[in-house]
Amino acid sequence: MAYPDDLLSDDEQVVVHKHPHWKMLFFPVIVLLVVVGGGIYLATLVQETEWRTVGQIAIAVVGGILLIWFTFAPFVRWRTTHFVVTTHRLMVREGVLKRTGIDLPMSKINSVRSNQSLSDRLFGCGTLVVESASDEPLEFDDIPKVEHVRTVLYRETNDDPNDDFAPKQAR
């Protein structure tokens, strides 16, 4: 089973499954290009010196550490962050070594709203704010197509057939 299918109950279905918006990877890609370009440039500079081998090893080690820290780690963090709306709950899972998660039943969600800055609107993402029975609203940043997710989440919270206040369907 694929994630999050192994976490679902028998009658639960995934409605929306998203990772954070790809804009989170913009600066890691810039770092990748700068480190690779800078490493190639520095390697050509030390090619003509007598300490060429030591210089190339030092450049490779420093470049490798920078790439792991500033490119590979953010990519893995992005890939292992899941925002999932099911027919019964809202689930958020994030982390690689230390995994954290939030499960919020649909019946506990009071309101859903979204915020988008100008850059968020250009990229097609935004912040989703979910108010529940808890004191603090939950904010989820960089949700792709946040308006669609907000609409789906609102629809799922209000389409509960066991809810006395849900709109009745015409017969």
Side-chain angles (χ1 to χ4, degrees), residues 30-70:
I30 297 296
V31 169
L32 171 74
L33 296 174
V34 168
V35 167
V36 169
I40 291 171
Y41 175 74
L42 292 175
T44 58
L45 288 180
V46 299
Q47 186 70 23
E48 305 299 323
T49 64
E50 58 195 44
W51 43 275
R52 166 180 55 221
T53 306
V54 174
Q56 288 175 342
I57 291 173
I59 291 168
V61 167
V62 170
I65 290 171
L66 289 173
L67 288 178
I68 289 171
W69 192 267
F70 292 110

Side-chain angles (χ1 to χ4, degrees), residues 89-130:
R89 60 188 162 152
L90 167 67
M91 299 188 307
V92 178
R93 301 284 188 273
E94 56 190 7
V96 180
L97 301 176
K98 178 186 161 196
R99 196 99 169 119
T100 59
I102 298 171
D103 285 7
L104 186 60
M106 291 295 175
S107 61
K108 301 292 182 192
I109 295 176
N110 293 337
S111 68
V112 181
R113 60 187 163 109
S114 60
N115 299 325
Q116 288 182 299
S117 65
L118 179 59
S119 64
D120 287 342
R121 289 184 61 138
L122 291 173
F123 283 118
C125 64
T127 300
L128 189 71
V129 181
V130 178

Side-chain angles (χ1 to χ4, degrees), residues 1-23:
M1 285 187 198
Y3 185 86
D5 294 339
D6 54 348
L7 300 175
L8 302 178
S9 62
D10 293 335
D11 61 341
E12 191 173 17
Q13 295 178 353
V14 173
V15 180
V16 173
H17 180 192
K18 301 229 181 248
H19 294 284
H21 195 269
W22 59 264
K23 79 174 188 174

